[in-house]
Amino acid sequence: MSYQLRIEPIGQTLDLAEDQTVLDACLRAGVWLPHACCHGLCATCKVRVREGEVDHGEASPFALMDFEREEGQALACCARAQSDLVIEADIDEDPDALRLPVSDFIGTVEQIETLTPTVKAIHLRLNSPIAFQAGQYVNLGIPALGLHRAFSIASAPQEVAHTQTIELQVRRVPGGQGTGWLHEQLRVGDWLPLAGPYGRFFVRNSAHRAGAAGAPGAPAGQALLFIAGGSGLSSPRSMVLDLLAEGCTQPITLVVGQRSQAELYGHDEFQALARAHPHLRYVPVLSDEPEGSGWTGERGYAHEAARALFNGDFRGHKAYLCGPPAMIDACLNTLMQGRLFERDIHTEKFLSAADAQRVRSPVFKAV
């Protein structure tokens, strides 16, 4: 059985297939709803159901509380229609969004690289071309387990357009069923279904174009600051490679926080890129590297290294943060203390089921 969905305030009506989530139907129709984790954990995709009934599915009770359900709120990524629906959603127009509809793909495993003891790079050749913005992610299916997991695309769009192959950097989550299977069971030649692109984590180029053109009130030549932690390096890698390929001349700083040299990956690549592009500064920082190991780089945490680099003053920058929630929250505090605020900070948190029980930062309405 199918139902109709009307989306307010835009008034667009579309069909909902049987067992299809509200979010999936919207994204496949090219209607963007705010979303992040796609698994009912982060509450970014919260909408209000004005008419009709939904099944809330696996929405976390921490992301969608009982009183919110009673008030008619729902998480679009989990909500499935039980009748025709009318929803009210926060649909923001973004001049930098390409509005790419979500599509389905089959990826054949061409290569599996061990990047660190806990991170593997999985290279998937797709059955058809995928268009995406650097920083976006895909939902990867694991048919053997009946699961889906979200992973950022680590490749640059130009590379994917040429090879039709994407790289996903998968950190093994302790006790994680999906990432455990990908690390232990996946083999070259296997195939996996995936859908994408998802997400609104991408470079806001209009600010830089406006600034260069001298538009009133626009930042003149905004520099870019990327801060990544753990396997959160995937999106910044894609974004930095894309910027360099497109001839960006604004100053770019990439701060990468890891625990130790054993967990630091992509190091040689970024060192080489920084040598080839003088406007790119690459700063790795290790928080738990043993003394006497020979490491001569920065020690501490990513937000501390960023504060030291800019003497605590981040004005004139666009910041892009990607990594675990604790890192994101520490960076938000540091950037705001350094006079950088919401319009110039964009974040992508890597959320696990355990993170659903953590209190979200009150600073931003979306991750």
Side-chain angles (χ1 to χ4, degrees):
M1 178 180 294
S2 63
Y3 297 106
Q4 281 200 325
L5 168 68
R6 190 170 83 242
I7 307 160
E8 299 295 353
I10 62 175
Q12 183 168 341
T13 299
L14 50 90
D15 291 328
L16 282 167
E18 185 175 1
D19 205 38
Q20 185 178 29
T21 67
V22 169
L23 178 62
D24 185 67
C26 290
L27 296 179
R28 290 178 185 276
V31 178
W32 181 83
L33 297 185
H35 63 281
C37 75
C38 289
H39 298 294
L41 301 177
C42 71
T44 304
C45 65
K46 195 173 292 181
V47 298
R48 186 174 295 277
V49 180
R50 291 299 187 187
E51 296 180 20
E53 299 292 332
V54 300
D55 179 348
H56 292 287
E58 297 181 357
S60 163
F62 299 95
L64 186 68
M65 298 183 181
D66 289 342
F67 77 89
E68 293 176 308
R69 300 175 194 229
E70 293 170 3
E71 290 176 350
Q73 298 187 63
L75 301 186
C77 71
C78 296
R80 290 174 169 82
Q82 295 184 313
S83 67
D84 291 342
L85 297 177
V86 177
I87 66 167
E88 182 178 327
D90 181 13
I91 302 177
D92 294 327
E93 292 298 326
D94 190 320
D96 292 297
L98 296 184
R99 300 181 61 142
L100 300 168
V102 170
S103 300
D104 294 311
F105 303 89
I106 297 295
T108 301
V109 180
E110 286 201 331
Q111 183 183 7
I112 301 174
E113 295 180 84
T114 299
L115 301 180
T116 78
T118 61
V119 179
K120 289 185 182 292
I122 299 173
H123 300 261
L124 297 170
R125 183 170 182 81
L126 304 184
N127 62 324
S128 59
I130 182 173
F132 70 99
Q133 291 183 261
Q136 290 189 298
Y137 67 91
V138 297
N139 258 343
L140 184 71
I142 308 175
L145 302 177
L147 300 176
H148 289 81
R149 293 293 182 263
F151 297 105
S152 297
I153 301 173
S155 316
Q158 297 82 357
E159 176 188 358
V160 175
H162 178 67
T163 66
Q164 210 163 298
T165 299
I166 63 171
E167 177 181 341
L168 307 179
Q169 296 174 348
V170 179
R171 181 179 72 88
R172 181 164 188 170
V173 177
Q177 189 178 12
T179 58
W181 190 93
L182 293 171
H183 271 244
E184 294 180 1
Q185 304 298 324
L186 189 66
R187 298 291 182 265
V188 171
D190 291 348
W191 62 268
L192 297 170
L194 61 141
Y198 292 97
R200 300 284 269 196
F201 189 62
F202 46 77
V203 173
R204 268 57 181 185
N205 287 310
S206 58
H208 309 301
R209 289 194 297 268
Q222 270 188 308
L224 298 108
L225 169 61
F226 296 90
I227 306 179
S231 57
L233 183 57
S234 300
S235 291
R237 178 182 187 267
S238 178
M239 297 158 88
V240 169
L241 291 176
D242 180 50
L243 287 165
L244 296 177
E246 294 297 313
C248 171
T249 58
Q250 306 294 354
I252 303 171
T253 300
L254 171 62
V255 179
V256 177
Q258 300 289 7
R259 288 188 296 269
S260 64
Q261 288 189 77
E263 292 292 334
L264 182 64
Y265 66 95
H267 185 57
D268 292 341
E269 176 186 30
F270 286 115
Q271 283 187 318
L273 287 171
R275 287 192 296 268
H277 301 275
H279 62 296
L280 170 63
R281 176 168 53 173
Y282 163 61
V283 182
V285 53
L286 306 180
S287 62
D288 197 28
E289 177 69 9
E291 294 295 335
S293 66
W295 174 252
T296 58
E298 298 292 328
R299 291 176 180 266
Y301 294 98
H303 66 284
E304 297 170 337
R307 182 191 294 120
L309 283 173
F310 295 98
N311 295 316
D313 187 348
F314 298 98
R315 288 175 292 181
H317 284 78
K318 275 278 187 185
Y320 300 88
L321 317 177
C322 189
M327 187 213 84
I328 297 292
D329 290 341
C331 289
L332 288 176
N333 290 333
T334 298
L335 293 174
M336 296 187 75
Q337 289 170 8
R339 308 295 293 171
L340 199 67
F341 301 110
E342 181 174 356
R343 70 176 185 179
D344 290 320
I345 304 175
H346 303 276
T347 71
E348 183 176 65
K349 289 184 181 180
F350 282 11
L351 292 163
S352 67
D355 295 320
Q357 299 185 36
R358 298 185 182 181
V359 177
R360 299 178 68 224
S361 168
V363 179
F364 295 103
K365 61 185 177 182
V367 295

